[in-house]
Amino acid sequence: MPELEVMIGGRGFQVTCQAGEEHFLQTAAAMLDAEAAPLVAQLGRLPEVRMLLMAGLMLADKTAAVEDENRTLRARLAELEARPVATRDVAVVPPRVFETLAEIAARAEAMAARVEERVGG
């Protein structure tokens, strides 16, 4: 098993992990260190156990908030997915309208032809 040294709150800790999980361990340690750093900056040197406990609790609090938000978003997504898909009503044009438009077009063409005859002829 690989053994790594991780830095949390300015202190080094020897930790072992499964082969291939070194990156995950380093990432988790970095997250814990990010919580510990402000504690050490504000309160000075704390006992190891207290620093780790407080940093762990702060990280757990953030994780709980993200999980709550995730649950809320999943519920909202499920609600949206359950809604029926809105459909647009498409107007149906009665056949008589097409007949009327064709008649108007024929009259307009006839009028244009008469105007051309008078102007040109």
Side-chain angles (χ1 to χ4, degrees), residues 58-87:
M58 290 169 53
L59 191 55
D61 182 57
K62 286 182 179 181
T63 301
V66 169
E67 287 176 352
D68 285 346
E69 183 180 11
N70 190 23
R71 262 191 300 281
T72 301
L73 291 173
R74 283 182 185 271
R76 179 70 176 134
L77 179 61
E79 177 185 310
L80 291 173
E81 287 176 338
R83 283 186 184 173
V85 177
T87 58

Side-chain angles (χ1 to χ4, degrees), residues 98-120:
F98 291 113
E99 294 166 4
T100 303
L101 288 174
E103 188 178 312
I104 291 171
R107 286 183 185 173
E109 287 177 18
M111 289 171 60
R114 278 184 282 191
V115 168
E116 283 182 17
E117 285 177 14
R118 289 186 183 166
V119 172

Side-chain angles (χ1 to χ4, degrees), residues 31-51:
M31 292 171 71
L32 197 54
D33 184 50
E35 296 301 323
L39 291 171
V40 172
Q42 290 174 2
L43 304 173
R45 190 153 177 92
L46 296 169
E48 232 174 60
V49 173
R50 185 171 178 94
M51 176 195 60

